[in-house]
């Protein structure tokens, strides 16, 4: 595992835990987020606070589990990590009006995670190994 993939795994684990806590806070007490996020006007992709809570909770758990699997060296975790980082990026793009600074930070971190996982090449394998029969 290279440094980029290791860092991507740590970022995914941390981001997932924070997103899950964010979701739990939204589900537990809507008044807290109501004061923070306020009214976003006629936002086209308006989702209720409960909806955002479930989105962040489920996505956060999936991202954290995938990040932990990356740190353990699971082969399936690279592709799954790219998928969940992409979904997390998309969710935070839609969440921009509610928490602009936090969403931009998460989007930037997700772009790094996607790049690190997509650019990784296993040093023990030649580029055409996947096409050769055993």
């Amino acid at each position: 595992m290279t440094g980029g993939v290791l860092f991507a795994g740590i970022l995914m684990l941390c981001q997932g835990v924070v997103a899950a806590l964010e979701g739990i806070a939204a589900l537990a007490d809507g008044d807290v987020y109501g004061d923070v996020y306020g009214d976003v006007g006629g936002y086209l992709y308006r989702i209720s606070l409960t909806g955002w809570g479930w989105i962040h909770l489920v996505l956060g758990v999936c991202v954290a589990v995938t990040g932990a699997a990356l740190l353990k060296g699971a082969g399936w975790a690279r592709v799954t990590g790219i998928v969940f980082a992409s979904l997390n990026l998309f969710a935070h793009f839609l969440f921009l009006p509610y928490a602009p600074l936090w969403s931009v930070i998460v989007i930037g971190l997700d772009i790094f995670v996607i790049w690190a996982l997509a650019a990784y090449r296993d040093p023990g394998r030649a580029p055409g190994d996947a096409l050769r029969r055993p």
Side-chain angles (χ1 to χ4, degrees):
M1 182 180 327
T2 64
V5 174
L6 178 66
F7 189 55
I10 293 169
L11 279 177
M12 287 186 74
L13 186 61
C14 293
Q15 276 186 322
V17 169
V18 169
L21 292 173
E22 197 174 30
I24 290 169
L27 291 170
D29 186 11
D31 293 338
V32 173
Y33 279 108
D35 295 339
V36 174
Y37 296 131
D39 187 28
V40 292
Y43 183 52
L44 182 63
Y45 302 110
R46 177 179 232 137
I47 298 174
S48 71
L49 187 59
T50 302
W52 278 120
W54 282 110
I55 290 169
H56 285 300
L57 178 61
V58 170
L59 198 52
V61 168
C62 291
V63 168
V65 167
T66 305
L70 268 173
L71 294 176
K72 289 187 173 196
W76 58 267
R78 277 189 46 242
V79 173
T80 308
I82 292 170
V83 169
F84 282 130
S86 299
L87 289 173
N88 198 38
L89 185 149
F90 181 69
H92 277 86
F93 175 76
L94 295 177
F95 201 62
L96 268 168
Y98 301 98
L101 181 60
W102 177 245
S103 291
V104 168
I105 291 169
V106 171
I107 288 169
L109 293 174
D110 284 332
I111 289 170
F112 170 78
V113 167
I114 293 166
W115 171 81
L117 296 179
Y120 176 74
R121 299 291 176 249
D122 187 0
R125 292 181 55 150
D129 280 351
L131 302 175
R132 294 188 190 114
R133 293 184 182 192

